[in-house]
Amino acid sequence: MFIYGKNPIKDLFDKDFKLIKKIWIDKKRHQSFFNDLKNKGIEINDFKVFNFRKNGFSSHENFQGIIALIEEPKIYSLKELIELNIGKESPKFLILDQIEDPQNFGAILRNAAAFDIDGVIYPSRNSAKLNSTVMKASAGNWMRVNLCETNSLNQVVDTLKKNYYWIISTSLEGKTSFEEIKNINQPKAIILGNEGKGVRKTLNEKSDFKIKINMNQEVESLNVASASAIILHYLF
């Protein structure tokens, strides 16, 4: 997997430089960081020799003169994610129902890290994938969130309910107050819906509570990433 841009790569380097397998860098532009990379024994290549077309990139993207090939990030199964949080007081998950825009996905991961979300669950189909665009949009915070990819969000919700998680969905018909949800001292999972369609009907029907952000009715609905920040701020 490739990531690009100084800040995302520097964040990864600072957290765990061993995850960086190879790097292409403009030495003149990043002299200080070049020296740091060299001191760690990371394989360094000239940015000018990177094959954009072969590696699926447009040369017009803003790479900032640095690209890294990294180890594939750890993706948890739902069972692993649940087990990882056994014993924690009121663990909290985010379930992303077909969030298709990589910028939104990345921004939500950033928000999840900011509010100490214990896991982000997303479907393997009809969803943005964890890629360089998502990683950059998260401002490096994808590393601070436990990720779970699944074939069926319906099965995820059923399993979480069996493990005593309260399921909360965002809906225009939401009636439950944020304060009521905040006072539930039990494991929780919040479903955020697709940018255009919202949370699917089958998932809404499985939810224990439905919430919505009260706002001026003359204003169009909020971007899902912005909505996630508001919801997480109020609930956690």
Side-chain angles (χ1 to χ4, degrees), residues 1 20 35 56 91 126 131 136 195-196:
M1 177 179 290
I20 300 175
N35 293 333
N126 301 317
N131 57 25
K136 189 171 184 180
E195 290 89 349

Side-chain angles (χ1 to χ4, degrees), residues 1-233:
M1 177 179 290
F2 291 98
I3 62 172
Y4 59 86
K6 182 179 179 180
N7 288 337
I9 294 174
K10 185 69 164 58
D11 284 339
L12 181 58
F13 177 84
D14 291 340
K15 183 174 182 181
D16 191 350
F17 71 88
K18 293 179 182 178
L19 294 177
I20 300 175
K21 300 167 69 175
K22 190 184 298 187
I23 203 157
W24 291 260
I25 188 170
D26 183 336
K27 181 179 177 181
K28 292 182 180 179
R29 191 172 176 181
H30 304 290
Q31 182 65 62
S32 177
F33 190 33
F34 174 88
N35 293 333
D36 292 338
L37 293 164
K38 189 175 180 180
N39 290 336
K40 296 296 186 182
I42 295 171
E43 181 182 335
I44 302 174
N45 301 276
D46 190 333
F47 182 77
K48 294 178 182 178
V49 306
F50 185 81
N51 192 323
F52 293 96
R53 180 175 295 181
K54 179 181 177 181
N55 291 299
F57 287 107
S58 164
S59 59
H60 299 294
E61 294 184 59
N62 184 20
F63 295 99
Q64 300 177 321
I66 184 167
I67 299 172
L69 176 66
I70 69 170
E71 295 282 354
E72 293 289 325
K74 168 68 175 175
I75 304 295
Y76 292 88
S77 67
L78 181 61
K79 180 181 178 183
E80 290 174 323
L81 193 62
I82 292 172
E83 290 177 347
L84 190 66
N85 289 279
I86 290 176
K88 284 188 178 181
E89 183 178 354
S90 302
K92 44 194 182 288
F93 296 158
L94 271 184
I95 300 174
L96 308 185
D97 182 21
Q98 300 184 340
I99 303 299
E100 297 176 318
D101 185 288
Q103 296 290 338
N104 281 337
F105 191 7
I108 290 170
L109 293 182
R110 185 177 188 176
N111 294 338
F115 291 97
D116 297 319
I117 296 301
D118 297 297
V120 175
I121 305 165
Y122 59 95
S124 55
R125 294 177 295 174
N126 301 317
S127 171
K129 302 300 179 186
L130 186 66
N131 57 25
S132 55
T133 303
V134 172
M135 291 175 173
K136 189 171 184 180
S138 79
N141 289 287
W142 61 274
M143 295 178 289
R144 299 177 175 88
V145 180
N146 294 323
L147 301 170
C148 170
E149 184 174 302
T150 178
N151 292 325
S152 172
L153 289 183
N154 281 296
Q155 290 180 9
V156 163
V157 169
D158 290 341
T159 301
L160 289 176
K161 288 170 77 75
K162 289 176 182 177
N163 282 272
Y164 308 105
Y165 279 74
W166 290 100
I167 307 299
I168 303 139
S169 64
T170 51
S171 169
L172 293 176
E173 287 74 45
K175 302 294 184 183
T176 306
S177 71
F178 282 40
E179 193 63 32
E180 184 177 347
I181 300 298
K182 191 171 184 176
N183 289 333
I184 298 174
N185 191 29
Q186 294 289 333
K188 306 180 188 75
I190 300 170
I191 308 174
L192 298 176
N194 173 271
E195 290 89 349
K197 303 172 185 176
V199 176
R200 282 174 292 167
K201 182 179 179 181
T202 54
L203 294 175
N204 252 326
E205 289 175 346
K206 290 176 182 287
S207 300
D208 299 298
F209 304 101
K210 299 179 181 64
I211 59 173
K212 71 174 180 179
I213 298 171
N214 293 319
M215 52 185 284
N216 189 323
Q217 296 302 306
E218 296 181 4
V219 178
E220 292 184 14
S221 60
L222 294 173
N223 170 286
V224 64
S226 299
S228 73
I230 294 171
I231 291 167
L232 296 181
H233 168 72

